[in-house]
Amino acid sequence: MEIGDAPRTNAPDPSFFGVAPSLARNPLGIVALALVLVYALASVVTFGTALDTQLRAPLVWFLVVYPVLVLGVFAWLIAKHPNRLYAPTDFRNDDAFLAATQGQLKSVAFLSAAQARRDRLDAVGPEDEQQVSKVVETVVRRVREGGESQILWVDDRPENNVWERQAFMAAGAEIKLALNTTQALELLGQQDFDLVISDMGRVEGDREGYVLLDAMRQRRDKTPLVFYATSNSPAHKKETREHGGQGCTNSPTELFDLGMALITRL
């Protein structure tokens, strides 16, 4: 830059076409753009064209009533649904976004718990609310702490744990499926995984989960392994540790908490 030249700045374009792309990134901005465009079009038609009095009167009333109506809708949205007016990129960081959406997570969790109780015809007790709150806190904490990770899920009936896998994928994990021990060992030899989740009994045998775990440890594969089986007894947890595993559970919540803890090394 020559002496005397004005410094160059990257000031934002104040024109409509310069501001519009940034506004279109969240629901609130899209509504504002629609408001400006509709109002501008109505104004041009009303005052920029030669309309007779009968045609001009409805447009004038529209220009008067429309801002009041939009203001009322905005006031209702801000009072009732403030979190829905912003995109994730509008928040300072991930913690702020998770804090804002935690209430929605609780709503989904409570509705799911209520439906499950209704299907079983059980009464709802105080422990249910505590359990749901614990689930939401676990999800928020693990999503904040975790990142993209690789999980190998070994089960000959993967349709039985679709929702459990969805929970891990929602937290940023990538999952590969193996239907038997042979397939699992082949995948473990091809790439590194952060966690292995396995059932116990399969077509090969009732204790096939231990066969996989023993084969991994014999190959000096130290990938953490958790059994997701029908038992949650202390005896089976102890036996799992004796074989070199990290846990055994039949609870989806405990599986998610334990699995994310192992992935994030907490």
Side-chain angles (χ1 to χ4, degrees), residues 27-258:
L28 188 61
I30 293 173
V31 173
L33 285 175
L35 171 64
V36 171
L37 290 174
V38 171
Y39 202 75
L41 181 60
S43 299
V44 170
V45 173
T46 303
F47 303 107
T49 58
L51 295 176
D52 57 35
T53 305
Q54 291 182 345
L55 293 177
R56 191 186 301 271
L59 290 174
V60 172
W61 276 108
F62 172 79
L63 292 174
V64 173
V65 175
Y66 185 62
V68 179
L69 179 62
V70 171
L71 180 61
V73 173
F74 266 113
W76 178 80
L77 285 173
I78 293 172
K80 299 295 184 180
H81 305 283
N83 292 333
R84 297 184 182 181
L85 297 175
Y86 304 97
T89 53
D90 293 330
F91 293 89
R92 296 189 308 274
N93 49 45
D94 292 340
D95 289 343
F97 175 70
L98 288 171
T101 56
Q102 187 167 353
Q104 298 177 27
L105 288 174
K106 283 188 176 181
S107 297
V108 174
F110 276 118
L111 287 174
S112 300
Q115 184 61 51
R117 283 290 186 179
R118 187 180 182 86
D119 293 340
R120 296 197 305 267
L121 301 178
D122 292 341
V124 178
E127 68 279 1
D128 296 296
E129 182 175 354
Q130 296 175 2
Q131 182 68 14
V132 170
S133 298
K134 181 180 178 182
V135 170
V136 174
E137 291 172 1
T138 297
V139 171
V140 172
R141 186 175 69 253
R142 296 309 181 192
V143 170
R144 182 183 293 118
E145 296 163 347
E148 184 174 327
S149 53
Q150 301 291 327
I151 297 177
L152 175 61
W153 201 299
V154 189
D155 197 317
D156 58 347
R157 300 181 64 184
E159 67 276 7
N160 289 342
N161 43 63
V162 173
W163 301 118
E164 291 87 338
R165 295 200 304 274
Q166 290 287 346
F168 280 100
M169 288 188 290
E174 293 186 4
I175 295 179
K176 286 193 174 181
L177 293 174
L179 301 179
N180 52 57
T181 300
T182 301
Q183 194 176 53
L185 292 174
E186 289 178 355
L187 290 172
L188 286 166
Q190 295 171 2
Q191 73 172 85
D192 293 330
F193 289 91
D194 299 291
L195 175 67
V196 176
I197 298 175
S198 173
D199 59 353
M200 179 56 70
R202 293 195 286 273
V203 176
E204 302 97 311
D206 295 337
R207 294 170 58 86
E208 190 63 21
Y210 289 131
V211 175
L212 170 62
L213 179 56
D214 291 342
M216 289 174 56
R217 297 305 181 246
Q218 289 173 5
R219 290 165 43 166
R220 300 186 184 279
D221 187 338
K222 298 181 180 180
T223 305
L225 184 145
V226 176
F227 288 121
Y228 187 45
T230 57
S231 174
N232 201 25
S233 69
H236 287 151
K237 293 178 182 293
K238 178 181 178 182
E239 187 173 6
T240 298
R241 291 193 296 270
E242 291 173 350
H243 282 263
Q246 279 62 49
C248 174
T249 182
N250 62 359
S251 166
T253 304
E254 184 179 356
L255 175 69
F256 182 83
D257 199 13
L258 177 59

